[in-house]
Amino acid sequence: AGSLPLLDGGTATEALRVLSRRLAEPFHEIRSVSVFRGEALLFREVPSGGGTPSGFRGARLEELYRLGALYPGKPVWGRLSPSLFQDPQGQEKPVIPVCWGAVGEDGVPALVLLELSPDSLGSTLLATQRILRYQRTFLLDGGSRMIYGDAPIRDGLLELVMEQYRQGRRMFSVDFSGRVYQCCTQYNAMAGWLTVSLIEEQDLFPGAKDQPAYIELMALASVLLACAV
């Protein structure tokens, strides 16, 4: 694990390019796929098109190598951060890096890097977790920075939720500016992300008198129980 054959820029590199294109094209969440050998960029595939970068940040590449070296040969998810590559038009957009670190037969380190769109990825993930029409769900990275949210959130509310989470609570209610919110959190160990779901109490309980809302209330209870596992 963690070993790569020598890549000489010829047949092996072209095979990787074709493989990366075929893997990445069906997924709109992927902004680019890159392969490095040492400090040399062997190739960069951009499925959605786009301009050619003006260069890449050497210090950032070192950070990604260290990230990939944590578990050689396995994908390691990074936190929301600037792209490794410098946009020629200066339009810097944050990405989520996924790294595979390895070592060539000659001892030279190699890195496979996927840069993912936080908006596209967050939208895809949260779409499968949203059950109630008045549920608000947010995806946070390992540094508690917002990757994506499916609705606006009031300043200070998320900070209050994270205070409760850091105290070991996973399901709880918070009182913020005179409004009570029911909250459920779920940790993703693979990526180190946290999903936070919020429902304002006044939206939840008054509607439980009629049957459709009662069914939704039961669905919420199922979600909360699943988060507790």
Side-chain angles (χ1 to χ4, degrees):
S3 179
L4 283 178
L6 287 174
L7 301 176
D8 57 8
T11 304
T13 301
E14 182 59 26
L16 278 174
R17 184 190 301 276
V18 172
L19 176 62
S20 297
R21 183 182 301 118
R22 290 177 177 174
L23 289 175
E25 282 179 347
F27 302 100
H28 67 282
E29 297 89 356
I30 298 177
R31 283 190 180 167
S32 67
V33 182
S34 308
V35 174
F36 286 86
R37 184 167 183 267
E39 296 182 357
L41 175 62
L42 297 183
F43 72 86
R44 179 174 184 255
E45 189 67 33
V46 184
S48 59
T52 302
S54 58
F56 59 86
R57 302 172 176 83
R60 178 61 180 153
L61 180 60
E62 293 178 5
E63 294 176 4
L64 294 171
Y65 263 113
R66 288 194 293 269
L67 182 65
L70 293 175
Y71 302 99
K74 298 180 179 180
V76 183
W77 293 72
R79 297 179 178 181
L80 190 67
S81 58
S83 171
L84 169 65
F85 299 94
Q86 298 168 330
D87 188 281
Q89 299 178 347
Q91 298 179 354
E92 301 296 337
K93 296 181 179 180
V95 298
I96 300 169
V98 184
C99 303
W100 283 263
V103 178
E105 294 174 348
D106 58 352
V108 177
L111 183 74
V112 178
L113 170 65
L114 268 66
E115 290 193 332
L116 308 180
S117 164
D119 290 342
S120 297
L121 183 63
S123 177
T124 299
L125 292 177
L126 296 190
T128 64
Q129 300 180 30
R130 185 179 179 89
I131 297 177
L132 307 180
R133 63 179 179 271
Y134 34 71
Q135 173 183 339
R136 284 176 277 180
T137 309
F138 307 92
L139 189 63
L140 311 180
D141 72 4
S144 299
R145 287 170 292 192
M146 179 85 73
I147 294 175
Y148 182 80
D150 61 9
I153 186 169
R154 301 173 66 186
D155 291 340
L157 176 55
L158 190 58
E159 288 77 6
L160 183 60
V161 168
M162 291 308 299
E163 287 179 10
Q164 298 292 317
Y165 179 80
R166 294 187 185 102
Q167 293 175 19
R169 300 182 177 92
R170 299 298 177 257
M171 292 185 301
F172 48 86
S173 61
V174 292
D175 190 329
F176 182 77
S177 296
R179 297 184 178 182
V180 178
Y181 297 84
Q182 299 297 322
C183 180
C184 172
T185 63
Q186 190 168 18
Y187 180 69
N188 184 321
M190 183 184 73
W193 298 345
L194 183 68
T195 301
V196 176
S197 293
L198 289 171
I199 298 179
E200 192 170 346
E201 203 169 75
Q202 69 177 15
D203 293 332
L204 179 60
F205 293 107
K209 295 179 181 179
D210 60 278
Q211 186 176 13
Y214 180 78
I215 294 173
E216 289 187 342
L217 185 58
M218 293 302 98
L220 173 65
S222 299
V223 173
L224 296 179
L225 288 174
C227 290
V229 175

